[in-house]
Amino acid sequence: MDWADAACGIRRHQPVGATLACVVTASADVPPAELAAALRRVGVAGTDTASRRRAEYSSDASNYRVVPAVVVFPRHADEIVASLEVCRELGVPIVPRGGGTSIAGNSLSTGVVLDLSRHLNRVVSIDAEERAAVVEPGTVLDSITAAAAPHGLRFGPDPSTHSRATIGGAIGNNACGSRALRYGRTADNVVALDVITGSGTRFTARRLGRDPGPAGAGTPGAPDPEAGVLAPLTALVNGHLATVRTEFGRFTRQVSGYSLEHLLPENGTDVAKFLAGTEGTLALTLRATVRLVAAPKATTLAVLGYADMAAAAEAVPALLPHLPVALEGLDSRLVDVVRTRRGSAAVPDLPRGGGWLFVETAGDTPAAARDAAAKLVADAACLDSAIITGGQAAALWRIREDGAGLGSRTPDGSPAWPGWEDSAVPPDKLPGYLRELVALMARHHVDGLMYGHFGDGCVHVRIGFPLRDRPAVLREFMEDAARLAAGYGGSASGEHGDGRARGELLPVMYSAEAIGLFGAVKRIFDPAGLLNPGVIVAPAPLDADLRVPAARSLRRGLGFAYPDDRGDFAAAVHRCVGVGKCRADTTASGGVMCPSFLATRDEKDSTRGRARVLQELANGSLVHDWRAPEISEALDLCLSCKGCSSDCPVGVDMATYKAEALYQRYRRRLRPAAHYSLGWLPRWAALAARAPWLANGSLRVPPVATAAKRLGGIDERRPLPAFARQTFRRWFTGRSRPAGRGKPVLVWVDTFTNAFTPEVGRAAVTVLEAAGYEVRITPRQVCCGLTWISTGQLDGARRQLRRTLRALGPALDEGIPIVGLEPSCTAALRADAAELLPRSKGAKRLGTAVTTLAELLRATDGWTPPDLSDVRGVAQPHCHQHATGGWDADAALLAAAGAQVSPVGGCCGLAGNFGVERGHYDVSAAVAETALLPAVRAAGRDATVLADGFSCRTQLDQLADVKGIHLAELLASRLGPASSYRL
């Protein structure tokens, strides 16, 4: 095939549908097992053809679904080379993948997908003097910055996915990010690349200089294979100088197509820079040398309010002379999403306006950075402004970085999708472009929330394309939008690359001669068309292989209601759009998601990997039904921590999906032993409470304990907790009541407090009565159904909850607050009850009536906490509390009491029944080592360790021999001589 024929006679502004006739996608009918065997024969051991694994890699962060034949995990560069050689011999497509966060379908293949993030993720060296780093292609961008930080350096480009995106992917897409305004694109920060082309030529791509040699023969003395690439490449550019000089490099965010301007002699014929943005279609990166920049000593964030996004864009030209580090636009409606999902406290106070500019300034001192921000505000012509530093600035930047996920729903709650999420125009043309883009969306009856790198003219917006019902709208809009951007001298892509989403639109932006140049370059590097076929050259149709239209609805017989997804499990799991935040370690900032991935570093154990497998259930081709082994394998190590339900920008709730999957798999069938032993724990606890001495004595006999564990599906390394000699309920009903009556409050008596740690309940009663409350409990023991939910026994959970609602009815009718002491049970009452009983008004009322101890005390008029000024330590906020209410009230209470307690992110790892079940112990312990146990060890033996969750305290006791205490216990112990409670 002549790759220069990819133009197919298309002229600028011609309907893009005319390109479809020339689509060519390289493929070979090689069975996956045969391909994997060929790879293993040449020493590539890390191959996987399992349908579950192929499902996990069937999509990136785009709209597309392309199932690979084999997923390969290379351990060193030679395995990349060997994999390519096998693909060349067999005629199989191959594509590299890093963090899998490509939004345009840039890292999909019907053949081999190389996951470079698993093993090839090292920072090889840092040269502080030269300000350069040598890195492997799977190295996460934040890892490069962390390695450079001791030298006062960082890697400049910071796309919003910098916590999980890899340098190989950044090079592939020419990633930019917010601070590219100051530090440049990835292409501007690439020094040299060790690459291998599609034809098998390995060489170091670098700057060749203004005169690379006669007829572009490469550097003097270059080996013949290298010259075989560089000579025709430079000759091609030299033969089309006018086209390259006039059509390429017109503004910084012109990322669509191949950036041929870097090959101009006046630009030094820089082959490394040219390869940035070629999306793995020309060569595979084996190692990279990248430039480092000086990290600012101090920064300040100026937030500027405007009437709307177009008005904000109009202010940009006046702000650029201030040389800000970043200049970002943000639709106010995007922030409304955060307030709705996470509460008002999650968003710092912002200036009034319908759209904002976030402008970061830098200085040698905080005062200098703030002064620079003040000067910038003076030229901003804004409605209102605020200068923000410290934690509040960090919180706002996190919102901005979560934009891709937060924008995955339109203002009316419909799904929003990428496609036209990355257009760019020269910054001075941005206001007009934004106004016309909004009008274009209105004409097509779609909507979306805008944000982006306004200082560079780049606009991000996910749009509510009706992919399931009317997928044709995607093509209609994209064609019109491409013409609109081209009319402003813009680019369909400003940093995400063209991928499958926009390659077909290139003839709208470039002349036929330029399109022909793309084909000719492809022929030089990859004549067989095996490297990422269907991208840029001979592009796949932008509406081919769409994931959502191929998915069937899953509505019948569900256990949960899924009200935010219109009762459709398929819509719920398709919330995952692949942004991959679940692969990032956010524990340092209090995040929880995803503990299992942090322990195993396997895509299978990420929230995204699990979602992809469940999406295949909706597709029906790889995963056929609820009982498929792929689903069990994908969900096995999910801790049901609910961290993703709050940390995932799109609100994936894998704990609910796992419970649903277990419900569907085992409904009316024999279940695993742990579902009976641990799922029915409240029943066994009630039975043991009749003779706790007998239960404890029996379980202390080794043969009995061993048998109980074996029969109950419990890991033999887990000690069995002892039952309390007196339950909390028995203590409460038998105690002497204090004189006088206060405001009534009902303490929810959960199984764990009642049967195992009644001292927590006694402490809570002490604190509440000291605060002036009259404490009540339900007349009989009832259950929130938590253990039934986590084991997928949803019919049983509903029965438990109906009994609970009957018992709590009088308190709900009287408006009495209900205080939960065990966070997981509190979360079940707050969130799961309404999902399981969607028609119950009582369940909805219950969700708002339940409160934590800290929340109630903080809201109690006249209550002041006891003095805790001598308390130093750490706290483990429970994952379920983090997900359904947050720990802000606890933090505020402790701070008001004078305590210095640092919260620890992540999960404890025990997670209810998870860490107790056979086969989960090692992962449970590894999760604890992610954040909790290192923080406890660092705090010292004398530190106070707060942990409200029974699981958290049990894990601390069993793995670290540390006694964790409940907030109620800490407060009760400091109430003075009148209190009988002692730790």
Side-chain angles (χ1 to χ4, degrees):
M1 172 194 171
D2 184 349
W3 290 100
D5 288 342
C8 291
I10 301 301
R11 295 294 183 266
R12 188 190 298 253
H13 307 314
Q14 189 171 340
V16 295
T19 65
L20 297 187
C22 70
V23 170
V24 174
T25 301
S27 63
D29 189 16
V30 180
E34 181 180 328
L35 178 56
L39 289 164
R40 287 192 291 269
R41 280 196 295 271
V42 297
V44 180
T47 63
D48 198 332
T49 60
S51 55
R52 191 213 73 242
R53 181 68 79 190
R54 295 163 64 209
E56 292 157 10
Y57 287 79
S58 64
S59 190
D60 42 20
S62 70
N63 297 331
Y64 301 98
R65 173 186 178 272
V66 178
V67 180
V70 180
V71 180
V72 175
F73 303 94
R75 291 184 175 273
H76 47 77
D78 288 346
E79 290 194 0
I80 299 177
V81 175
S83 297
L84 175 60
E85 185 60 31
V86 169
C87 288
R88 290 179 63 221
E89 290 178 2
L90 298 178
V92 173
I94 183 170
V95 66
R97 170 172 163 142
T101 56
S102 298
I103 299 178
N106 319 64
S107 57
L108 304 176
S109 175
T110 57
V112 169
V113 172
L114 298 169
D115 184 342
L116 306 181
S117 69
R118 187 79 175 272
H119 303 298
L120 294 172
N121 51 25
R122 295 182 306 130
V123 177
V124 178
S125 64
I126 298 287
D127 187 331
E129 185 174 343
E130 292 294 326
R131 291 191 174 184
V134 177
V135 295
E136 292 179 325
T139 307
V140 172
L141 300 182
D142 274 2
S143 297
I144 302 174
T145 291
H151 308 284
L153 303 172
R154 57 164 289 167
F155 182 65
D158 64 336
S160 61
T161 53
H162 56 83
S163 60
R164 60 272 193 195
T166 66
I167 187 62
I171 293 168
N173 293 350
N174 197 7
C176 302
S178 301
R179 293 168 182 85
L181 185 66
R182 170 68 68 89
Y183 305 127
R185 306 159 297 177
T186 298
D188 303 314
N189 291 274
V190 169
V191 178
L193 301 175
D194 178 13
V195 299
I196 184 166
T197 69
S199 60
T201 301
R202 183 171 180 175
F203 71 102
T204 299
R206 58 194 180 281
R207 180 184 176 91
L208 301 181
R210 184 176 181 87
D211 183 10
T219 52
D224 287 342
E226 180 177 337
V229 173
L230 300 181
L233 181 65
T234 53
L236 180 69
V237 172
N238 289 338
H240 297 82
L241 289 175
T243 299
V244 176
R245 284 170 175 154
T246 56
E247 294 197 39
F248 295 88
R250 292 175 288 107
F251 70 107
T252 58
R253 289 303 185 96
Q254 184 185 347
V255 168
S256 283
Y258 293 149
S259 298
L260 296 173
E261 72 274 12
H262 295 299
L263 299 176
L264 288 168
E266 60 266 32
N267 292 333
T269 315
D270 198 321
V271 182
K273 292 185 186 302
F274 159 71
L275 286 175
T278 56
E279 304 183 40
T281 63
L282 303 182
L284 303 177
T285 300
L286 308 176
R287 183 172 285 194
T289 302
V290 297
R291 183 172 71 98
L292 301 173
V293 299
K297 295 179 180 178
T299 60
T300 293
L301 177 63
V303 182
L304 314 174
Y306 297 90
D308 55 31
M309 297 296 282
E314 286 177 339
V316 167
L319 302 178
L320 290 176
H322 289 268
L323 302 179
V325 176
L327 204 171
E328 302 289 289
L330 196 72
D331 191 326
S332 64
R333 298 180 300 171
L334 201 64
V335 176
D336 291 340
V337 174
V338 181
R339 291 194 180 103
T340 299
R341 285 186 47 198
R342 302 176 186 170
S344 298
V347 181
D349 291 336
L350 290 167
R352 59 191 173 89
W356 293 294
L357 292 179
F358 285 14
V359 191
E360 186 172 270
T361 57
D364 289 336
T365 65
R370 189 176 183 88
D371 182 60
K375 291 177 180 177
L376 183 143
V377 169
D379 289 340
C382 54
L383 299 175
D384 195 6
S385 66
I387 294 177
I388 301 173
T389 59
Q392 288 192 323
L396 290 175
W397 278 119
R398 281 195 293 272
I399 292 171
R400 165 59 190 86
E401 290 178 352
D402 282 345
L406 296 172
S408 67
R409 283 289 189 273
T410 64
D412 70 358
S414 301
W417 307 101
W420 197 252
E421 87 298 331
D422 187 41
S423 58
V425 298
D428 62 321
K429 297 181 179 180
L430 185 58
Y433 173 67
L434 285 178
R435 291 189 175 97
E436 289 203 51
L437 182 59
V438 170
L440 181 65
M441 290 197 299
R443 287 201 300 275
H444 285 273
H445 307 289
V446 294
D447 197 1
L449 303 176
M450 289 186 182
Y451 59 102
H453 314 297
F454 278 22
D456 282 319
C458 185
V459 181
H460 296 325
V461 56
R462 290 178 179 245
I463 297 173
F465 301 121
L467 293 183
R468 173 163 291 187
D469 304 320
R470 293 179 294 122
V473 174
L474 174 67
R475 170 171 292 281
E476 295 164 1
F477 178 88
M478 293 281 284
E479 293 184 1
D480 286 348
R483 296 186 184 95
L484 174 63
Y488 278 90
S491 175
S493 175
E495 64 177 336
H496 296 164
D498 298 311
R500 292 170 172 265
R502 292 177 285 272
E504 192 187 349
L505 304 174
L506 290 174
V508 180
M509 292 169 280
Y510 291 104
S511 68
E513 183 179 356
I515 297 293
L517 287 174
F518 295 161
V521 169
K522 176 77 168 178
R523 184 172 58 188
I524 292 169
F525 281 84
D526 182 31
L530 298 178
L531 296 183
N532 209 1
V535 173
I536 300 181
V537 173
L542 63 86
D543 49 3
D545 300 317
L546 293 172
R547 184 175 64 248
V548 170
R552 57 198 169 99
S553 293
L554 296 171
R555 298 176 182 271
R556 296 182 59 185
L558 296 177
F560 288 95
Y562 305 102
D564 295 328
D565 297 291
R566 300 175 185 176
D568 187 353
F569 182 81
V573 298
H574 275 90
R575 281 178 170 268
C576 178
V577 293
V579 295
K581 190 177 180 182
C582 49
R583 288 173 58 99
D585 185 350
T586 60
T587 56
S589 59
V592 172
M593 178 184 71
C594 175
S596 56
F597 176 80
L598 295 179
T600 69
R601 298 290 172 176
D602 191 330
E603 179 75 10
K604 170 181 76 73
D605 301 317
S606 69
T607 306
R608 180 179 67 184
R610 295 180 177 114
R612 293 294 183 235
V613 174
L614 293 173
Q615 288 168 6
E616 286 300 313
L617 171 66
N619 180 278
S621 56
L622 279 180
V623 178
H624 304 295
D625 56 48
W626 289 100
R627 295 172 186 169
E630 293 88 352
I631 294 179
S632 297
E633 293 167 9
L635 294 174
D636 179 48
L637 295 183
C638 172
L639 284 78
S640 297
C641 69
K642 282 190 173 289
C644 51
S645 67
S646 60
D647 292 356
C648 174
V650 299
V652 168
D653 185 356
M654 196 54 63
T656 294
Y657 306 163
K658 179 176 181 177
E660 183 72 66
L662 291 172
Y663 175 64
Q664 299 295 339
R665 180 180 180 88
Y666 293 111
R667 192 179 187 186
R668 303 189 184 98
R669 291 166 62 91
L670 186 67
R671 289 175 166 271
H675 288 199
Y676 301 109
S677 63
L678 302 174
W680 292 2
L681 180 62
R683 291 176 176 170
W684 309 131
L687 187 62
R690 298 178 182 178
W693 57 270
L694 178 60
N696 291 332
S698 300
L699 293 176
R700 279 195 288 267
V701 177
V704 175
T706 298
K709 293 175 186 179
R710 184 174 295 119
L711 293 173
I714 296 170
D715 193 284
E716 61 182 12
R717 291 166 288 186
R718 281 289 178 193
L720 297 174
F723 295 97
R725 287 180 293 178
Q726 182 186 44
T727 66
F728 168 75
R729 178 173 288 277
R730 189 167 296 165
W731 169 83
F732 186 87
T733 55
R735 75 189 184 109
S736 300
R737 301 296 177 90
R741 296 178 63 84
K743 182 179 179 181
V745 62
L746 189 145
V747 168
W748 171 257
V749 184
D750 62 88
T751 294
F752 305 99
T753 300
N754 187 52
F756 297 103
T757 56
E759 63 272 17
V760 170
R762 294 197 297 269
V765 171
T766 300
V767 171
L768 289 169
E769 289 181 342
Y773 285 98
E774 177 200 344
V775 179
R776 303 176 183 177
I777 62 173
T778 55
R780 58 188 178 86
Q781 184 67 25
V782 284
C783 180
C784 66
L786 170 69
T787 56
W788 278 268
I789 295 170
S790 62
T791 53
Q793 302 180 73
L794 301 186
D795 293 330
R798 272 187 281 272
R799 288 191 290 272
Q800 296 293 331
L801 284 167
R802 289 190 183 103
R803 295 189 194 103
T804 290
L805 288 173
R806 287 193 292 271
L808 293 177
L812 292 174
D813 292 339
E814 295 178 46
I816 296 173
I818 300 168
V819 177
L821 301 179
E822 173 56 43
S824 55
C825 298
T826 304
L829 297 174
R830 275 181 159 171
D832 293 324
E835 283 260 358
L836 287 166
L837 301 172
R839 295 184 179 86
S840 168
K841 294 180 180 179
K844 293 181 176 64
R845 291 164 59 200
L846 180 61
T848 58
V850 173
T851 180
T852 68
L853 179 64
E855 289 167 350
L856 180 71
L857 293 174
R858 289 281 294 167
T860 301
D861 291 338
W863 182 82
T864 56
D867 182 15
L868 301 177
S869 58
D870 61 335
V871 173
R872 305 288 185 276
V874 296
Q876 171 73 73
H878 194 283
C879 300
H880 287 197
Q881 181 174 347
H882 170 85
T884 60
W887 201 71
D888 290 344
D890 299 71
L893 187 155
L894 290 166
Q900 296 184 28
V901 176
S902 301
V904 180
C907 178
C908 74
L910 188 59
N913 56 290
F914 173 83
V916 180
E917 292 176 354
R918 187 181 300 124
H920 292 167
Y921 182 89
D922 291 332
V923 170
S924 173
V927 169
E929 287 291 352
T930 302
L932 176 59
L933 296 188
V936 169
R937 285 192 287 266
R941 297 297 298 183
D942 295 332
T944 297
V945 180
L946 277 177
D948 283 1
F950 176 72
S951 290
C952 305
R953 297 193 300 274
T954 300
Q955 186 84 315
L956 285 165
D957 176 51
Q958 294 184 357
L959 297 186
D961 192 26
V962 169
K963 175 178 172 55
I965 63 171
H966 194 285
L967 175 65
E969 296 179 281
L970 177 62
L971 294 174
S973 69
R974 300 303 183 92
L975 289 179
S979 171
S980 61
Y981 189 90
R982 296 291 181 269
L983 284 176

